[in-house]
Amino acid sequence: MKKLLFLALLVIAISCSKDDEPVINSDTNNETDPVNDSITYFTLKVNEFYIGEIVNSGFVILNDNEGNILAHTQIENNKEYVFKAKKGEEKESFTVSRFMYRNRKSSQVNFLSSFFNIKKGAIWNFEGSDTSGGVITNPNDLKSFSLKIQNIDGYNKVSISSNNGGGSYSGSGTNNSMDYNVSFRNNYNKFLITVHFELEKSKYILIDNVQDQQEVIVDGSELKEFDSYIPINLPNDGNAYFKDLRANLTPEEKFETTLFTKIESEAVANFGVFDNFYDFNISIYTSNTAENYSYNYTRESPTLEAVTIPPYSTDFKLISSSKNAFEFTASQKYSTKRSTWSYQISDFVEKKFRYDTWSFRSNELEYQTIPKLPQEFLELYPHFKAENLKYEETNFSKGYIHGGFFTDENSSENSNMKVIESLTFKNPDYNKSFKKNEDFEKIIKELQNYNY
């Protein structure tokens, strides 16, 4: 009799302990047994490509606003994770931490992001993309041609874009000419050459059906004006601004007319475009190294109209850089903010460079208590040591919120235009103690913008 009573109590105890554990559904079977006394407070859907070339492994941790662990799980592709709690005991808001692990022969990245103030009922989608088609498997697919551009007095920069929106090239030049060696793949043999000048509008030439080892010579007199020039209105703050533009010419052709191109004068404060360009991706940005901040304006839109960059406040002041007692003052207007701590080291034993980072993210509300990390997570990723991280930067953004992390699945965004203004304040002590690594900056940007 005592044994039966003990078994009954054990069953009840196990049932209660699993209220916050995720219920995992595959895409092939989304039906679950109903639980009458529980409520779903968070759902994560992972598609078939999320774990792969860009992210080698992933983990999700849920904490309450006091930092206590609610649930956690390592994630797999093609799964749905449903997090439940007893009715009346669920949290109205909580913290979700997403971990992405990326390991290469010569590098390793441990990338942890904690999203505070996530509302009950949120549904997230981690939607990676199939990257297998982007790998060059046959070296014979790679071609090259030589390009000489002459008689371009007063030029600022030359942009070379294939019909895939980018190009690999190296070059050298003089005051009025440039010589390039340009690499390309067989199916990307159409090139838009844009010459940007310091005091006059940019001009272009479009070269089609380029052949391997071809020699192309362009004279400045052959350059043409774009169909129109979309003005860029900048604040009068003394900063040097730069511009980027990518747009489709056809469904199969995406060209890049500017990349890190400095706006030298009022005459060149514009985007040169074709009338049949569409689906624009533009960026206007500046970096003030003396005051340790940078500003970035990005826009995705089917058409492009005049761009005006409004004045923005730069009065950010850091009071405490500790993760456990982080504090700052600022008057920036924003919809989301992100503060980052990171650590980089060259591991001479494993002969690889390692970059660890932990970012706090939130909407307009304050960051909550730093989340506790479960033992299973620490055992799976022993290289990630939070105690080594140093404060790096704080970013404020307003406009379109990518990924919908602070909105529910039913909220609507303007699908015709997505605008983001971003203001980042760097920690000068961090910049002095850590050497910049452009390859890792590209990796981090790729992970930050990975399809979630």
Side-chain angles (χ1 to χ4, degrees):
M1 185 67 181
K2 288 183 179 180
K3 288 184 178 180
L4 291 175
L5 180 60
F6 171 78
L7 289 174
L9 291 173
L10 181 62
V11 169
I12 294 173
I14 293 174
S15 176
C16 291
S17 68
K18 291 188 176 182
D19 281 335
D20 281 352
E21 291 297 312
V23 178
I24 303 174
N25 307 326
S26 70
D27 284 353
T28 56
N29 182 14
N30 288 324
E31 295 183 4
T32 58
D33 293 330
V35 182
N36 295 327
D37 63 344
S38 66
I39 186 170
T40 298
Y41 64 92
F42 180 69
T43 303
L44 172 64
K45 301 176 182 179
V46 184
N47 80 347
E48 58 184 315
F49 302 116
Y50 185 75
I51 303 297
E53 178 68 19
I54 296 176
V55 176
N56 302 146
S57 175
F59 204 94
V60 168
I61 307 164
L62 275 64
N63 300 77
D64 63 21
N65 290 338
E66 288 70 49
N68 301 307
I69 299 171
L70 297 174
H72 58 85
T73 182
Q74 189 171 20
I75 60 176
E76 299 178 13
N77 285 345
N78 208 32
K79 297 280 188 178
E80 179 178 298
Y81 300 86
V82 180
F83 296 85
K84 295 177 177 289
K86 280 187 176 181
K87 287 182 180 179
E89 295 183 6
E90 75 278 6
K91 309 297 182 181
E92 293 299 318
S93 67
F94 47 90
T95 300
V96 181
S97 296
R98 177 201 63 198
F99 183 78
M100 296 189 288
Y101 173 74
R102 178 169 175 165
N103 195 18
R104 298 289 186 271
K105 183 178 180 180
S106 60
S107 64
Q108 180 190 99
V109 175
N110 298 287
F111 192 96
L112 181 63
S113 296
S114 294
F115 296 82
F116 297 98
N117 303 306
I118 301 303
K119 294 182 179 179
K120 179 181 69 176
I123 301 174
W124 286 12
N125 294 280
F126 285 2
E127 296 179 348
S129 55
D130 186 1
T131 58
S132 59
V135 179
I136 300 176
T137 56
N138 185 358
N140 294 326
D141 284 346
L142 196 61
K143 312 296 183 183
S144 66
F145 72 97
S146 63
L147 171 66
K148 182 178 181 65
I149 308 173
Q150 55 193 14
N151 298 322
I152 48 173
D153 292 331
Y155 75 92
N156 168 2
K157 187 176 181 180
V158 177
S159 295
I160 303 173
S161 174
S162 74
N163 44 317
N164 188 39
S168 174
Y169 56 88
S170 59
S172 60
T174 64
N175 290 332
N176 66 350
S177 67
M178 284 295 297
D179 294 331
Y180 294 97
N181 183 64
V182 185
S183 301
F184 66 99
R185 293 177 64 187
N186 281 335
N187 52 333
Y188 300 130
N189 59 357
K190 186 176 182 179
F191 287 85
L192 176 64
I193 315 299
T194 308
V195 180
H196 302 278
F197 296 92
E198 295 177 359
L199 298 174
E200 60 180 292
K201 295 177 180 178
S202 57
K203 296 181 181 180
Y204 78 93
I205 187 169
L206 199 58
I207 304 172
D208 201 357
N209 196 28
V210 176
Q211 302 300 310
D212 187 28
Q213 303 302 314
Q214 182 178 347
E215 293 184 8
V216 178
I217 300 176
V218 175
D219 189 83
S221 61
E222 301 176 71
L223 298 174
K224 304 176 183 179
E225 290 192 355
F226 283 93
D227 294 334
S228 59
Y229 293 86
I230 308 300
I232 301 171
N233 303 304
L234 300 173
N236 185 22
D237 56 11
N239 287 334
Y241 285 83
F242 297 80
K243 57 183 178 179
D244 289 350
L245 181 145
R246 287 166 58 97
N248 279 81
L249 188 61
T250 70
E252 294 78 28
E253 295 179 323
K254 180 182 287 290
F255 286 100
E256 200 167 63
T257 64
T258 67
L259 179 64
F260 300 113
T261 304
K262 188 176 181 180
I263 302 176
E264 296 274 17
S265 64
E266 187 176 349
V268 298
N270 56 65
F271 286 116
V273 301
F274 297 128
D275 286 341
N276 49 349
F277 263 166
Y278 66 96
D279 286 352
F280 291 83
N281 288 267
I282 68 162
S283 179
I284 301 167
Y285 49 95
T286 185
S287 179
N288 190 319
T289 54
E291 299 184 31
N292 298 301
Y293 74 84
S294 60
Y295 170 89
N296 191 21
Y297 172 99
T298 61
R299 178 195 289 185
E300 297 178 23
S301 57
T303 60
L304 186 60
E305 299 175 351
V307 180
T308 297
I309 305 301
Y312 45 87
S313 172
T314 59
D315 65 348
F316 175 83
K317 183 178 180 181
L318 182 66
I319 298 174
S320 172
S321 62
S322 168
K323 293 192 304 297
N324 296 304
F326 185 63
E327 189 177 0
F328 63 84
T329 60
S331 62
Q332 286 74 26
K333 294 181 179 179
Y334 61 89
S335 52
T336 61
K337 59 180 177 289
R338 182 192 75 241
S339 297
T340 303
W341 291 258
S342 59
Y343 177 69
Q344 47 185 304
I345 184 174
S346 294
D347 191 326
F348 296 105
V349 176
E350 296 186 8
K351 295 182 179 180
K352 65 171 56 180
F353 190 89
R354 197 177 86 240
Y355 186 94
D356 299 347
T357 181
W358 190 350
S359 64
F360 292 175
R361 304 188 183 209
S362 183
N363 47 20
E364 71 282 358
L365 300 177
E366 298 296 326
Y367 298 138
Q368 300 294 330
T369 304
I370 182 172
K372 295 177 182 176
L373 303 178
Q375 188 62 33
E376 180 185 347
F377 169 82
L378 298 174
E379 290 172 356
L380 277 172
Y381 308 102
H383 284 300
F384 184 77
K385 298 185 183 301
E387 62 271 18
N388 292 335
L389 304 175
K390 305 294 183 183
Y391 174 68
E392 180 180 357
E393 66 183 29
T394 291
N395 168 275
F396 300 95
S397 297
K398 61 180 179 179
Y400 172 75
I401 302 174
H402 179 70
F405 284 129
F406 298 102
T407 59
D408 60 51
E409 190 179 48
N410 297 319
S411 67
S412 61
E413 297 284 358
N414 183 353
S415 58
N416 292 325
M417 182 182 295
K418 300 173 182 178
V419 177
I420 301 176
E421 285 186 82
S422 178
L423 193 58
T424 302
F425 295 91
K426 301 280 187 179
N427 175 15
D429 294 331
Y430 176 91
N431 292 336
K432 292 175 184 176
S433 60
F434 290 95
K435 185 178 179 181
K436 284 185 175 292
N437 185 303
E438 291 186 2
D439 290 338
F440 266 85
E441 287 182 355
K442 291 178 182 178
I443 291 173
I444 295 305
K445 187 174 182 180
E446 184 178 38
L447 290 173
Q448 286 177 337
N449 297 322
Y450 191 54
N451 296 330
Y452 350 105

